[in-house]
Amino acid sequence: MLVLVQKVDRSICFCGCDCLSHAFCLSLPGGHGQFPIVQNMTVTEGGIANLTCRVEHNDNTSLQWSNPAQQTLFFGDKKALRDNRIELVRATSQELTINISEVTLADEGMYTCSLFTMPVKTAKAFLTVLSMPKKPEINGLTKPVLEGDQITLTCVTSGSKPAADVRWFKNEKEIKGAKEVNASGKTFTVKSSLQLLVNRHDDGVAYTCRVDHVALIATHEETTQVLEVHYAPYVEIKHSIPAPLEGQYLKLECVPHGNPSPDPVLWTKDGGELPDLDRVIVEGRELTFMSLNKTDNGTYRCEATNHLGTSHAEYKLVVKDPNALPGPPDHALIGGIVAVVVFATLCLIIVLGRYLARHKGTYLTNEAKGADDAPDADTAIINADGNHAHAEEKKEYFI
């Protein structure tokens, strides 16, 4: 047996002596090729951490687990630290497995498994503790919002480790926000902001803040706020028939848009009250003519009001006499006239073409008689002048 001076950074040595920085321990035979095997662990806060240390070949040498503070948790099957959360799962010559339940962020760190050969062999496993983010909150929204207001929506989630990912959705369509991350101890607070210039189209729109995190397996945390936007009304009038005729039934519907809803609406004709209320029926937003006549002609106005303003729309009614309307065109007569015109045009073109082909052009030539027998040029001219009245007309044709 050999006594050696061995440096051991452990609170308890395999031989049971209490060691500081140096200790006199007894070297036992064997130990070559023996190495502890461990794995890093990740667990969510509040869960259970399972720490396992294995040795493939061991000659009954003890195994020990210690925490990041170098406090011994278990030495073999003997518990060394009084912590009810720490339990022994299995202790053999080749394995030492323990569980830490209700894990907190303080449990995170480097855990050491020691195999007390000579020299002591160690393996380190890092325990990562995840902290789930809290349910997000949306701040900055007051109800109702007025059209034209500029508001800032802020989504806040805290307590996450690592920092959570915050995303915004407008009616399930993702939009971009301004993100801010702040550390608080080992956890993080994440904020994301949206700046909105509100208009009437935002009324009823759902804005959702969604939080994703590695500790949220196959799910996420989210909060939704629905905007309520108040805006002044605008009005449109719908009619049941496009071209009203005498005796027909006509319904005019006033359709106001606004929030709060502008109800009731006011119907007028040509700037005054509606005449002949026996024939013209007003029910809510509808104006009904049971049987139209020309006295109903005029401009009808629908007016709607809420606390943000007033709006109106107009409909000009012109009732026509069904007997005065032109009848449908006689398509057969029109077709016959067109055919005659086309035929006459073709005949004229053919006749004119034949005439032009035969009479390309004519011209007249006059020859002075007696000019050939004249003894000189002067006599020929005199003789020619005398014969102008008897000039003979000749025609030449060119085909």
Side-chain angles (χ1 to χ4, degrees):
M1 299 178 69
L2 178 65
V3 176
L4 296 176
V5 177
Q6 171 69 34
K7 183 177 179 180
V8 182
D9 293 329
R10 300 287 181 270
S11 57
I12 299 178
C13 294
F14 79 95
C15 52
C17 56
D18 193 7
C19 303
L20 296 176
S21 60
H22 295 81
F24 290 97
C25 295
L26 186 62
S27 175
L28 298 178
H32 296 290
Q34 297 175 234
F35 295 97
I37 301 172
V38 298
Q39 287 184 333
N40 294 333
M41 289 291 298
T42 299
V43 63
T44 302
E45 187 177 18
I48 299 175
N50 181 274
L51 300 176
T52 299
C53 180
R54 291 188 176 90
V55 179
E56 292 185 359
H57 306 287
N58 195 2
D59 52 4
N60 295 322
T61 304
S62 298
L63 292 170
Q64 172 186 290
W65 271 114
S66 56
N67 63 14
Q70 294 302 307
Q71 296 171 314
T72 300
L73 304 179
F74 268 90
F75 182 75
D77 59 357
K78 295 179 175 57
K79 188 174 184 177
L81 185 67
R82 293 182 179 179
D83 188 336
N84 294 332
R85 301 179 304 129
I86 304 174
E87 298 177 345
L88 178 65
V89 177
R90 183 178 295 105
T92 67
S93 61
Q94 293 183 323
E95 179 182 341
L96 178 59
T97 300
I98 62 173
N99 277 347
I100 305 175
S101 58
E102 299 177 9
V103 172
T104 67
L105 294 177
D107 294 320
E108 184 175 78
M110 192 73 73
Y111 286 75
T112 304
C113 176
S114 301
L115 175 63
F116 285 97
T117 59
M118 186 59 69
V120 176
K121 296 174 182 176
T122 61
K124 297 182 181 296
F126 194 89
L127 175 62
T128 301
V129 180
L130 305 178
S131 179
M132 287 193 297
K134 294 182 180 178
K135 187 176 180 65
E137 297 179 358
I138 297 178
N139 302 320
L141 179 62
T142 57
K143 294 185 178 182
V145 181
L146 300 183
E147 184 176 31
D149 285 353
Q150 185 167 346
I151 63 174
T152 300
L153 301 182
T154 302
C155 177
V156 182
T157 179
S158 60
S160 61
K161 179 182 173 295
D165 183 29
V166 177
R167 295 187 294 163
W168 281 101
F169 291 85
K170 178 181 179 181
N171 284 346
E172 297 302 321
K173 182 179 180 180
E174 186 169 0
I175 55 178
K176 188 175 181 180
K179 187 176 178 181
E180 177 184 342
V181 180
N182 297 307
S184 177
K186 290 186 176 183
T187 62
F188 296 88
T189 298
V190 184
K191 297 180 182 179
S192 184
S193 300
L194 281 180
Q195 287 191 346
L196 305 174
L197 181 60
V198 179
N199 59 50
R200 62 189 59 195
H201 302 294
D202 290 317
D203 186 41
V205 172
Y207 285 87
T208 300
C209 173
R210 183 175 299 173
V211 175
D212 295 310
H213 193 262
V214 64
L216 298 171
I217 302 175
T219 185
H220 50 255
E221 292 280 2
E222 67 179 29
T223 299
T224 300
Q225 291 281 3
V226 179
L227 264 62
E228 180 185 351
V229 181
H230 281 191
Y231 55 93
Y234 67 96
V235 181
E236 60 178 332
I237 296 177
K238 296 181 179 180
H239 45 86
S240 59
I241 53 177
L245 302 176
E246 278 189 292
Q248 283 188 328
Y249 170 91
L250 173 65
K251 178 184 288 186
L252 301 180
E253 182 183 3
C254 179
V255 183
H257 305 272
N259 193 13
S261 178
D263 206 25
V265 299
L266 176 64
W267 282 100
T268 59
K269 177 186 178 185
D270 297 329
E273 295 182 355
L274 295 174
D276 197 0
L277 294 179
D278 292 336
R279 288 190 316 102
V280 181
I281 301 173
V282 179
E283 291 183 346
R285 299 174 178 177
E286 295 179 350
L287 180 64
T288 304
F289 300 83
M290 302 306 297
S291 179
L292 289 170
N293 60 50
K294 292 188 176 181
T295 62
D296 296 322
N297 288 346
T299 301
Y300 292 82
R301 170 183 284 198
C302 170
E303 188 174 283
T305 303
N306 64 15
H307 72 279
L308 294 175
T310 300
S311 179
H312 70 272
E314 294 183 345
Y315 174 79
K316 187 174 182 179
L317 175 60
V318 178
V319 180
K320 297 183 179 180
D321 185 353
N323 298 320
L325 295 177
D330 190 340
H331 298 289
L333 177 61
I334 294 174
I337 293 174
V338 171
V340 170
V341 171
V342 171
F343 179 76
T345 303
L346 291 175
C347 292
L348 180 61
I349 292 172
I350 293 172
V351 171
L352 184 60
R354 291 174 63 86
Y355 177 80
L356 292 176
R358 291 184 177 182
H359 306 281
K360 291 284 185 175
T362 64
Y363 65 93
L364 299 177
T365 60
N366 294 319
E367 297 180 358
K369 293 183 177 181
D372 295 337
D373 299 330
D376 51 36
D378 293 336
T379 305
I381 294 174
I382 294 171
N383 292 339
D385 291 339
N387 293 328
H388 281 178
H390 305 285
E392 183 176 328
E393 181 180 356
K394 293 184 179 182
K395 296 182 181 180
E396 293 184 5
Y397 296 90
F398 296 93
I399 300 177

